[in-house]
Amino acid sequence: PVGKGRVLLMNAAAYPGNETIRPAYEQLILQLQEQLAARDDTQILCGDDVEYSVFRQDDGSLHYYLTPVDWYRDPEPLRHAAFRMGTEKYDLAIPFGSITKLVTTGQEAAWSADENVDLVSIRSRELLVQGRGQGSIHIVSQGAVTIRTADFDRENVQTILL
């Protein structure tokens, strides 16, 4: 045997996008996604209006980047995704035309929808941020969500205790 993966074969005469077979493919993909997500302490849950990417850092933390992709809909309403950490879920309101960054260690998390705020890292119960102007930061620590305002007019780089 080569590798350690699995292969799933759906033997069908139609292409996956065909209306007769598509529901079976969608169900299988969702089932596989749920199985994979259950292995991790954290997960992003979103519909087809938001896409995300995740990057594992050298320190083991995860940096998620979320952005609305439904450019064909009204830009005014906020898009929503959920962030799951353990058994708790947290709502992420994402403005159209922006990127929301979320940083998590699996025990603590922080995110900001303000693009002038850059969440650099979470280490030893400290959140390192940088930016310009002012911006709000949502912080999850010990199961509680707090919203803090960072004022970068005084200092461009700041450490926030969690």
Side-chain angles (χ1 to χ4, degrees):
V2 176
K4 296 181 182 182
R6 349 185 279 205
V7 174
L8 300 174
L9 172 66
M10 289 187 69
N11 193 8
Y15 286 101
N18 184 289
E19 64 185 33
T20 59
I21 194 79
R22 182 177 174 159
Y25 275 95
E26 288 176 348
Q27 182 180 9
L28 177 63
I29 290 169
L30 287 173
Q31 191 175 39
L32 291 171
Q33 191 271 335
E34 288 172 3
Q35 289 173 6
L36 290 172
R39 296 181 190 174
D40 289 331
D41 293 333
T42 64
Q43 176 187 15
I44 297 291
L45 305 161
C46 58
D48 63 356
D49 57 343
V50 174
E51 287 191 3
Y52 70 94
S53 57
V54 60
F55 299 91
R56 185 174 302 278
Q57 305 301 302
D58 290 339
D59 64 3
S61 67
L62 299 174
H63 289 207
Y64 290 95
Y65 296 84
L66 299 93
T67 189
V69 293
D70 58 339
W71 51 266
Y72 46 88
R73 294 188 182 131
D74 182 4
E76 286 306 313
L78 292 172
R79 279 43 173 192
H80 290 270
F83 169 64
R84 181 189 58 79
M85 186 165 60
T87 58
E88 299 294 320
K89 290 182 185 173
Y90 306 94
D91 181 57
L92 306 173
I94 306 167
F96 186 77
S98 69
I99 296 174
T100 296
K101 182 178 181 182
L102 183 146
V103 175
T104 182
T105 62
Q107 305 299 316
E108 299 164 320
W111 68 89
S112 180
D114 296 329
E115 289 189 309
N116 57 325
V117 176
D118 180 26
L119 308 172
V120 179
S121 65
I122 298 177
R123 290 196 182 110
S124 304
R125 299 197 33 80
E126 294 183 344
L127 173 63
L128 181 63
V129 297
Q130 63 186 6
R132 58 181 172 74
Q134 290 188 342
S136 63
I137 302 167
H138 294 73
I139 299 171
V140 177
S141 181
Q142 300 176 344
V145 179
T146 57
I147 300 174
R148 306 269 288 275
T149 300
D151 184 354
F152 297 107
D153 289 335
R154 291 178 271 163
E155 282 185 71
N156 289 33
V157 178
Q158 299 176 21
T159 300
I160 299 172
L161 298 177
L162 302 180

